[in-house]
Amino acid sequence: DAMVIQNPRYQVTQFGKPVTLSCSQTLNHNVMYWYQQKSSQAPKLLFHYYDKDFNNEADTPDNFQSRRPNTSFCFLDIRSPGLGDAAMYLCATSRGLADYNEQFFGPGTRLTVL
Amino acid sequence: GQNIDQPTEMTATEGAIVQINCTYQTSGFNGLFWYQQHAGEAPTFLSYNVLDGLEEKGRFSSFLSRSKGYSYLLLKELQMKDSASYLCAATDSNYQLIWGAGTKLIIKP
Protein backbone atom coordinates (compact mmCIF):
# COMPACT_ATOMS: atom_id res chain seq x y z
CA ASP A 1 0.00 0.00 0.00
CA ALA A 2 1.17 3.50 -0.78
CA MET A 3 1.94 5.30 2.41
CA VAL A 4 3.90 7.79 4.49
CA ILE A 5 6.36 6.22 6.92
CA GLN A 6 8.04 7.88 9.84
CA ASN A 7 10.91 6.55 11.90
CA PRO A 8 11.28 6.22 14.74
CA ARG A 9 7.79 6.33 16.24
CA TYR A 10 9.23 7.37 19.60
CA GLN A 11 12.47 9.27 20.10
CA VAL A 12 14.07 10.24 23.36
CA THR A 13 16.96 12.69 23.36
CA GLN A 14 18.82 14.76 25.87
CA PHE A 15 18.65 18.50 26.17
CA GLY A 16 20.97 19.97 23.55
CA LYS A 17 21.75 16.66 21.82
CA PRO A 18 21.05 16.78 18.06
CA VAL A 19 18.36 14.50 16.75
CA THR A 20 17.15 13.56 13.27
CA LEU A 21 13.68 12.36 12.39
CA SER A 22 13.01 10.69 9.09
CA CYS A 23 10.07 10.42 6.73
CA SER A 24 9.63 8.45 3.56
CA GLN A 25 6.76 8.17 1.12
CA THR A 26 5.72 5.73 -1.57
CA LEU A 27 2.99 8.00 -2.96
CA ASN A 28 5.38 9.83 -5.32
CA HIS A 29 3.94 13.12 -4.15
CA ASN A 30 5.63 16.39 -5.02
CA VAL A 31 5.12 18.12 -1.68
CA MET A 32 6.38 17.06 1.74
CA TYR A 33 5.59 18.87 4.97
CA TRP A 34 6.87 18.82 8.54
CA TYR A 35 4.50 19.77 11.33
CA GLN A 36 4.98 20.10 15.06
CA GLN A 37 1.96 19.28 17.19
CA LYS A 38 1.71 19.68 20.94
CA SER A 39 -1.04 18.19 23.03
CA SER A 40 -4.52 19.60 22.26
CA GLN A 41 -3.06 22.13 19.83
CA ALA A 42 -3.29 22.61 16.10
CA PRO A 43 -0.50 21.19 13.97
CA LYS A 44 2.09 23.92 13.36
CA LEU A 45 3.72 23.92 9.94
CA LEU A 46 7.51 24.14 10.21
CA PHE A 47 8.43 23.94 6.51
CA HIS A 48 7.54 22.25 3.28
CA TYR A 49 9.23 21.19 0.07
CA TYR A 50 7.74 21.37 -3.40
CA ASP A 51 10.13 18.99 -5.14
CA LYS A 52 13.50 20.42 -4.07
CA ASP A 53 12.13 23.91 -3.51
CA PHE A 54 12.37 24.53 0.25
CA ASN A 55 9.90 26.82 2.01
CA ASN A 56 10.54 27.81 5.60
CA GLU A 57 7.76 29.25 7.74
CA ALA A 58 8.67 32.69 9.07
CA ASP A 59 8.36 31.68 12.71
CA THR A 60 10.21 28.35 12.48
CA PRO A 61 13.24 28.56 14.78
CA ASP A 62 16.71 28.23 13.26
CA ASN A 63 17.17 25.21 15.51
CA PHE A 64 15.02 23.27 13.04
CA GLN A 65 16.49 22.29 9.69
CA SER A 66 15.32 19.98 6.94
CA ARG A 67 16.74 18.01 4.04
CA ARG A 68 15.07 16.33 1.11
CA PRO A 69 17.71 14.33 -0.75
CA ASN A 70 15.18 12.82 -3.17
CA THR A 71 11.46 12.62 -3.86
CA SER A 72 10.87 9.83 -1.38
CA PHE A 73 12.76 10.98 1.70
CA CYS A 74 12.69 14.00 3.96
CA PHE A 75 14.52 14.61 7.23
CA LEU A 76 13.95 16.94 10.15
CA ASP A 77 17.08 17.90 12.10
CA ILE A 78 16.78 19.52 15.50
CA ARG A 79 20.23 20.89 16.21
CA SER A 80 19.91 21.59 19.93
CA PRO A 81 16.62 20.31 21.32
CA GLY A 82 15.15 22.18 24.23
CA LEU A 83 12.45 21.07 26.62
CA GLY A 84 9.95 23.12 24.62
CA ASP A 85 10.63 21.03 21.54
CA ALA A 86 9.02 17.95 23.05
CA ALA A 87 6.07 17.27 20.78
CA MET A 88 4.67 15.00 18.10
CA TYR A 89 6.33 15.63 14.74
CA LEU A 90 4.16 14.84 11.77
CA CYS A 91 5.29 14.37 8.21
CA ALA A 92 2.72 14.79 5.47
CA THR A 93 2.65 14.70 1.69
CA SER A 94 0.39 16.03 -1.02
CA ARG A 95 0.28 15.72 -4.77
CA GLY A 96 0.57 19.46 -5.25
CA LEU A 97 0.15 22.78 -3.53
CA ALA A 98 -3.33 23.56 -4.87
CA ASP A 99 -6.04 23.91 -2.31
CA TYR A 100 -7.88 20.73 -3.22
CA ASN A 101 -4.90 18.51 -2.53
CA GLU A 102 -5.52 16.60 0.66
CA GLN A 103 -2.52 15.90 2.82
CA PHE A 104 -1.56 12.36 3.75
CA PHE A 105 0.06 12.02 7.14
CA GLY A 106 2.56 9.60 8.54
CA PRO A 107 2.01 8.11 12.00
CA GLY A 108 4.22 10.74 13.63
CA THR A 109 7.30 10.67 15.82
CA ARG A 110 6.80 11.54 19.47
CA LEU A 111 9.90 13.35 20.71
CA THR A 112 10.78 13.43 24.40
CA VAL A 113 13.55 15.74 25.61
CA LEU A 114 15.14 14.89 28.95
CA GLY B 1 -4.92 37.73 11.29
CA GLN B 2 -5.87 34.22 10.33
CA ASN B 3 -7.91 32.21 12.74
CA ILE B 4 -9.91 29.00 13.05
CA ASP B 5 -12.37 28.56 15.92
CA GLN B 6 -13.94 25.30 16.97
CA PRO B 7 -15.17 24.03 20.35
CA THR B 8 -12.54 22.41 22.52
CA GLU B 9 -14.59 19.40 23.57
CA MET B 10 -18.00 17.84 22.97
CA THR B 11 -19.75 14.82 24.42
CA ALA B 12 -22.36 12.69 22.69
CA THR B 13 -24.09 9.35 23.12
CA GLU B 14 -23.50 6.24 21.04
CA GLY B 15 -26.06 6.04 18.24
CA ALA B 16 -26.86 9.75 18.34
CA ILE B 17 -26.00 12.63 15.98
CA VAL B 18 -23.47 15.36 16.71
CA GLN B 19 -22.57 18.55 14.85
CA ILE B 20 -19.11 20.08 15.23
CA ASN B 21 -18.92 23.72 14.18
CA CYS B 22 -15.97 25.63 12.78
CA THR B 23 -15.62 29.31 11.91
CA TYR B 24 -12.68 30.64 9.98
CA GLN B 25 -11.01 33.92 9.08
CA THR B 26 -8.31 33.66 6.44
CA SER B 27 -6.63 35.95 3.93
CA GLY B 28 -8.27 34.51 0.87
CA PHE B 29 -10.10 31.23 1.01
CA ASN B 30 -9.80 28.23 -1.26
CA GLY B 31 -11.49 25.41 0.58
CA LEU B 32 -12.00 23.73 3.93
CA PHE B 33 -10.86 20.34 5.17
CA TRP B 34 -11.97 18.17 8.05
CA TYR B 35 -9.55 15.64 9.50
CA GLN B 36 -10.03 13.01 12.20
CA GLN B 37 -7.24 12.39 14.68
CA HIS B 38 -7.31 9.58 17.23
CA ALA B 39 -5.22 10.10 20.35
CA GLY B 40 -1.53 9.65 19.62
CA GLU B 41 -2.10 9.09 15.92
CA ALA B 42 -1.80 11.13 12.75
CA PRO B 43 -4.73 13.06 11.24
CA THR B 44 -6.67 11.29 8.51
CA PHE B 45 -8.68 13.04 5.82
CA LEU B 46 -12.46 13.13 6.17
CA SER B 47 -13.80 15.75 3.77
CA TYR B 48 -13.09 18.76 1.60
CA ASN B 49 -15.58 21.55 0.77
CA VAL B 50 -14.97 24.36 -1.66
CA LEU B 51 -18.54 25.20 -2.71
CA ASP B 52 -21.43 26.17 -0.44
CA GLY B 53 -23.63 23.34 0.67
CA LEU B 54 -23.63 19.92 2.19
CA GLU B 55 -21.36 17.05 1.12
CA GLU B 56 -22.46 13.65 2.37
CA LYS B 57 -20.15 10.69 2.74
CA GLY B 58 -21.68 7.77 4.60
CA ARG B 59 -22.24 8.60 8.26
CA PHE B 60 -20.26 11.83 7.94
CA SER B 61 -21.39 15.02 6.22
CA SER B 62 -19.69 18.38 5.95
CA PHE B 63 -21.30 21.75 5.28
CA LEU B 64 -19.79 25.02 4.11
CA SER B 65 -21.04 28.60 3.95
CA ARG B 66 -18.38 30.80 2.37
CA SER B 67 -20.30 34.02 3.00
CA LYS B 68 -20.50 33.27 6.72
CA GLY B 69 -17.01 31.78 7.08
CA TYR B 70 -18.62 28.74 8.64
CA SER B 71 -18.49 24.99 8.34
CA TYR B 72 -19.76 22.04 10.30
CA LEU B 73 -19.09 18.34 10.42
CA LEU B 74 -22.12 16.16 11.09
CA LEU B 75 -21.63 12.66 12.44
CA LYS B 76 -24.61 10.29 12.45
CA GLU B 77 -25.18 6.95 14.18
CA LEU B 78 -22.23 7.58 16.45
CA GLN B 79 -19.99 4.65 17.29
CA MET B 80 -17.47 4.35 20.10
CA LYS B 81 -14.67 4.35 17.53
CA ASP B 82 -15.69 7.90 16.55
CA SER B 83 -14.15 9.14 19.80
CA ALA B 84 -11.34 11.32 18.46
CA SER B 85 -10.36 14.89 17.79
CA TYR B 86 -11.80 16.53 14.70
CA LEU B 87 -9.67 19.23 13.11
CA CYS B 88 -10.96 21.91 10.81
CA ALA B 89 -8.43 23.45 8.40
CA ALA B 90 -8.94 26.21 5.83
CA THR B 91 -6.70 26.97 2.85
CA ASP B 92 -5.67 30.57 2.38
CA SER B 93 -4.66 32.44 -0.76
CA ASN B 94 -1.11 31.00 -0.56
CA TYR B 95 -2.48 27.44 -0.46
CA GLN B 96 -1.39 27.16 3.15
CA LEU B 97 -3.54 25.15 5.52
CA ILE B 98 -4.64 27.11 8.59
CA TRP B 99 -5.46 24.55 11.26
CA GLY B 100 -7.85 24.68 14.18
CA ALA B 101 -6.83 23.17 17.50
CA GLY B 102 -9.41 20.42 17.09
CA THR B 103 -12.59 19.39 18.87
CA LYS B 104 -12.22 16.41 21.16
CA LEU B 105 -15.34 14.28 20.78
CA ILE B 106 -16.18 11.93 23.63
CA ILE B 107 -18.73 9.20 22.94
CA LYS B 108 -20.56 7.68 25.89
CA PRO B 109 -22.41 4.33 25.78
Side-chain angles (χ1 to χ4, degrees), chain A residues 72-84:
Chain A
S72 301
F73 286 87
C74 196
F75 299 96
L76 171 62
D77 300 307
I78 308 176
R79 293 194 292 191
S80 182
L83 297 178

Side-chain angles (χ1 to χ4, degrees), chain A residues 37 42 45 57 97 99 103 106, chain B residues 30 35 37 42 48 95-96 100:
Chain A
Q37 188 179 29
L45 182 64
E57 292 303 297
L97 285 174
D99 48 291
Q103 293 185 17
Chain B
N30 287 305
Y35 281 80
Q37 186 175 25
Y48 172 69
Y95 302 127
Q96 294 243 13

Side-chain angles (χ1 to χ4, degrees), chain B residues 6 10-12 21-22 25 32 35-36 39 41 47-48 66 71 75-76 81 84 88 96 104:
Chain B
Q6 50 181 131
M10 298 181 71
T11 302
N21 296 324
C22 169
Q25 290 178 307
L32 189 128
Y35 281 80
Q36 180 190 60
E41 298 182 12
S47 66
Y48 172 69
R66 296 176 68 120
S71 173
L75 293 77
K76 302 176 186 176
K81 68 178 182 180
C88 171
Q96 294 243 13
K104 183 179 179 181

Side-chain angles (χ1 to χ4, degrees), chain A residues 9 35 37 40-43 45 48 57 88 90 97-103 105-108 110, chain B residues 30-31 33 35 37 40-45 48 50 87 91-92 94-97 99-102:
Chain A
R9 293 292 308 276
Y35 287 93
Q37 188 179 29
S40 302
Q41 294 185 20
L45 182 64
H48 74 272
E57 292 303 297
M88 175 76 89
L90 296 165
L97 285 174
D99 48 291
Y100 54 83
N101 283 293
E102 69 177 272
Q103 293 185 17
F105 285 83
R110 182 165 294 283
Chain B
N30 287 305
F33 290 87
Y35 281 80
Q37 186 175 25
E41 298 182 12
T44 56
F45 170 81
Y48 172 69
V50 64
L87 295 106
T91 50
D92 69 8
N94 293 322
Y95 302 127
Q96 294 243 13
L97 268 183
W99 292 84

